[in-house]
Amino acid sequence: MSHDRTGGAGKLAGQLSSAKRQALLQKILRERGTAAQEGIPRRASDGPAPLSFAQQPQWLVDPLEPGSAPNNLPIALRQRGALDTAALRAAVDALVRRHETLRTTFAERDGEPVQVIHPPAPVPLAELELRDLPEAEREPQAARLAAEESLRPFDLEAGPLLRSTLLRLGDEDHVLLFTLHHIVSDGWSRGVLVREVSALYGAYIRGEEPRLPELPVQYADYAVWQRGWLSGRTLQDHIGFWKERLAGAPPLLEIPVDRPRVVGQGLLAGKHHFLVPAGVAHELRELSQREGATLFMTLLAGWQALLARYSGQDDVVVGTPIAGRSRREVEGLIGFFVNTLALRADLGGDPTLAELVRATRETALRAFDHQELPFERLVEELSVERSLTHAPVFQVAFAVNQYGENGERLELGELVLEPFGGGERAAKFDLDLSFADGGGALGGALNYRLALFEAATIERMAGHLETVLEAMAADPGRRLSELSLLRAGERAELLAASRAEPLEHTAACLHELFSAQAARTPDAPAVSWGGEAVSYAELERRSNRLAHHLLRRGVRPETRVGVCLERGPEMVVATLGVLKAGGAYVPLDPAYPAERLAYTLADSGAVLLVSQDGLADALPDFAGEVVRLDTARAAIAAQAEDAPGSGAGVRNAAYVIYTSGSTGRPKGVVVEHASLAHTLLATRDTFAFAAGDVFPGMASYAFDIWTFEVFAPLLAGGRVRLLPPETVRDVERLVGELAATDAVHAVPALMREIVARVQAGPGTLPRMRAVFIGGDAIAPDLLERTRTAFPAAQVWAMYGPTENTMISSATPLRRGTTYGWQMVGRPLPGVGMHVVDAAGNLLPAGVPGELC
């Protein structure tokens, strides 16, 4: 097995046997100057030896994470046929005599960690009998035992750091388990172990003396040599390269997760297998050849492109393991040589897929030329701030393993072995993608941390990766911005969802839904203003009277009625009154310039204006009739209290609202009753508004979000606490008012002030359970600060153009994440349009996406 990491070497090596491939890789590395030509000498003393650079962090971390299962390297192999247990025991004993690392423990001498190498001794081979179980239960039980063994901890001081177990499923059916600690082994070592145990076992069952070539050095010799070689100018050159390469890299790749990050993430890993068809794989190999890259580089470019689209970050760092055996003497050793390279990609500037492959090639080749610096030493030099919720530098890994058509078989003597699926279960990274390249189709395996991801999420991610690779194969000249990750089935599902109109959400208009709620909770407070509280029953009666009055003035379905009032309960009364009369209200903010109000009234075609005496000087000239609520109070009070039959239906206009006009003249948007009811009922259900909830009404009446602030809670039996504009502008007073509310909505600028005041004051507002931010682009740091200021609340990033009835999507910021908008958003049912990124995630304001 070999990693495709070395320019054109990967293509050639894939056609050779594993042993020849390894030799060729080492030759190319030496020719590239990445390996020194001098030999590794034997150490002078047989006593304790220093740790290698790779071993030292493992030893340091062990007391902090005793027996951490991610440091276990399990091997699980199925063997069918007659097994000579005595020969197997002798083979394992001989292997341990041959490799000092397998009889090494770790101790502290004079304040420094050392390797303590013990004399050869017999190695326990645990045998577990499963033949007594019913046949159908044997394999599941073996899988469970293999998984448990892979997670069982080691004691670095006591040892041993190799365990072997034999599970007997039948007379000629066995599972052989080897488990090693990472401090004495790596992935390459597993191949060495299986090959040598096979050769030793074969010799013993034939009654022959094993004849494996003598090892030129032992691991402790390498550790002593490395300490001397990787020092001085050589060390500083490597450190300088990596510090420059990773300067300013993001500490966390913000990919969507299903569960929050918490301290002590779970160890268990899941795995999803998928297949890249042979035709696509062939085109990817052709693309690699044209660009002078290896398949590893091309596949890495595709993976980075996917991660960039998922995270919304142009700066992506992915870790990849490298064998670390560029010296001939260590090729046949069992030991910890593997190193990890942090490959950083800049996906800014909207490159084509082919350009991304070329950039990845250059990044990888430069990294391979500086592969000798141990990753943990790099982390130390970078002074990376450690987090208890994610790994430093990178959280996502990638590898390509090549298996040539004439590659090695797994054997035990003359018996063929096969991998057994109950082995490795510990998660080392959040995501770990690997491909097996046998020259035809590519076998993909996406390992993931079960504590963070659902299986369905990973399956979907793998499908999106296939889409990226298909696009690279078919059209490498396509730019990243032109790349859609939505597969045909997902796009059809989103389009179907966006067009769905459940009958229960469209059979009634807003005012009818409010009347039904008023009948259920007539005495509950609906609107509060200062010291005044208006009940549901009173609001229903007052709006019914106004509706009858407006009907007498000619309001009918589609009639546009301007409403310009000071903030207070009358705004809610007037809005319901216009709707109950069948008209479409046109909200007007009295603080707006008279010219803006005149334009809105004229452009909307309003024939009637509802206002107040106190606003006479603020209103423009208006040719239609003006109903002043103060003057008409007696006439309105004389009207009937029952709801009128207006004749308005769900396809009639409910309101006409005007945009800000930032790109020219304001334009009016007509919203139908069906869309309004859909949105309000969806928000009520999505945000779980309930009876007794108090929501502050802070937005301008001329903004459509005012309708959300007022009517989403009213359709649930909650109360709207209308706040005067001067209170909203005084953040100290505003935060005092919010102490009596259960939720709040604010634009980013105002939310930043609220958060700052909460953090500077006596502490959080314990009653607050939902915080909404929308109306403008939301900076990630604001989401993080909001989550901190309101630890008990759910924080939502809201997105929705005026043309789409206030809200298209609401994205929850789940505790344990940094950027709320990275989370998979929740579409509001039946709203009519969803805004998604290419990964299918619904986006809040400020994030470009596809419109479905």
Side-chain angles (χ1 to χ4, degrees), residues 747-773:
V747 295
L750 177 56
M751 185 59 72
R752 192 174 291 277
E753 293 187 50
I754 293 172
V755 166
R757 180 62 194 171
V758 169
Q759 293 179 328
T764 60
L765 304 179
R767 179 167 172 169
M768 193 69 63
R769 67 166 185 81
V771 177
F772 306 97
I773 313 175

Side-chain angles (χ1 to χ4, degrees), residues 429-452:
F429 305 102
D430 294 350
L431 293 171
D432 188 351
L433 173 67
S434 63
F435 284 100
D437 178 20
L442 294 171
L446 186 51
N447 291 274
Y448 59 97
R449 196 181 298 277
L450 285 172
L452 293 179

Side-chain angles (χ1 to χ4, degrees), residues 230-579:
L230 191 58
S231 60
R233 183 169 180 178
T234 301
L235 176 62
Q236 292 308 313
D237 286 347
H238 285 304
I239 290 174
F241 168 81
W242 286 109
K243 290 179 75 171
E244 178 183 0
R245 182 71 189 125
L246 295 174
L252 178 65
L253 184 62
E254 291 288 346
I255 49 180
V257 295
D258 297 310
R259 302 182 186 92
R261 296 181 183 275
V262 296
V263 174
Q265 293 287 350
L267 298 176
L268 291 181
K271 179 178 287 190
H272 174 75
H273 292 277
F274 62 100
L275 195 69
V276 177
V280 175
H282 173 75
E283 293 299 326
L284 292 174
R285 293 186 185 95
E286 292 294 317
L287 171 62
S288 302
Q289 187 172 20
R290 290 195 302 272
E291 300 300 336
T294 63
L295 184 61
F296 165 84
M297 297 166 184
T298 299
L299 293 172
L300 174 60
W303 181 225
Q304 289 171 325
L306 178 73
L307 295 173
R309 293 296 293 269
Y310 261 68
S311 67
Q313 297 171 227
D314 290 335
D315 196 346
V316 174
V317 182
V318 172
T320 189
I322 192 161
R325 296 174 187 248
S326 54
R327 273 78 185 173
R328 256 191 211 112
E329 300 95 317
V330 302
E331 290 178 16
L333 286 183
I334 292 175
F336 187 13
F337 296 94
V338 69
N339 195 15
T340 304
L341 304 183
L343 302 182
R344 185 180 184 184
D346 178 3
L347 294 97
D350 196 21
T352 66
L353 296 172
E355 289 170 345
L356 183 56
V357 172
R358 291 196 289 272
T360 303
R361 176 187 182 276
E362 293 306 311
T363 295
L365 289 178
R366 292 187 66 199
F368 299 152
D369 283 340
H370 294 83
Q371 63 177 278
E372 301 289 350
L373 184 68
F375 177 72
E376 284 295 337
R377 179 63 186 271
L378 169 62
V379 174
E380 179 183 330
E381 291 290 338
L382 292 174
S383 299
V384 175
E385 184 177 348
R386 297 284 190 164
S387 170
L388 296 177
T389 62
H390 63 79
V393 184
F394 66 88
Q395 300 80 42
V396 176
F398 177 75
V400 174
N401 301 316
Q402 288 192 322
Y403 299 93
E405 292 180 2
N406 299 317
E408 295 174 307
R409 296 196 309 171
L410 297 175
E411 296 176 331
L412 186 62
E414 297 180 354
L415 301 175
V416 175
L417 300 174
E418 59 189 55
F420 183 69
E424 188 170 356
R425 293 287 304 278
K428 296 179 176 64
F429 305 102
D430 294 350
L431 293 171
D432 188 351
L433 173 67
S434 63
F435 284 100
D437 178 20
L442 294 171
L446 186 51
N447 291 274
Y448 59 97
R449 196 181 298 277
L450 285 172
L452 293 179
F453 297 100
E454 299 283 356
T457 298
I458 298 301
E459 181 179 0
R460 186 165 176 259
M461 182 182 292
H464 291 155
L465 177 61
E466 293 177 52
T467 301
V468 172
L469 298 178
E470 289 165 3
M472 295 178 77
D475 185 10
R478 185 182 304 180
R479 296 197 176 274
L480 286 183
S481 62
E482 301 168 344
L483 184 64
S484 172
L485 303 187
L486 293 177
R487 300 179 80 77
E490 291 176 312
R491 184 176 293 277
E493 183 180 347
L494 280 172
L495 287 171
S498 69
R499 294 166 180 158
E501 295 185 354
L503 292 177
E504 64 269 25
H505 279 197
T506 57
C509 299
L510 168 60
H511 55 279
E512 295 168 334
L513 294 170
F514 173 79
S515 295
Q517 181 60 46
R520 290 192 292 270
T521 57
D523 299 325
V527 179
S528 60
W529 169 255
E532 178 186 4
V534 180
S535 69
Y536 276 82
E538 179 63 17
L539 191 56
E540 173 73 0
R541 288 191 293 268
R542 287 167 63 176
S543 59
N544 285 343
R545 293 191 191 106
L546 177 60
H548 283 291
H549 186 74
L550 296 176
L551 280 167
R552 290 177 178 274
R553 269 136 189 83
V555 175
R556 297 292 184 270
E558 300 297 332
T559 301
R560 313 296 162 84
V561 180
V563 178
C564 186
L565 297 167
E566 297 283 6
R567 190 169 301 184
E570 293 301 331
M571 295 174 73
V572 186
V573 171
T575 301
L576 287 170
V578 172
L579 295 176

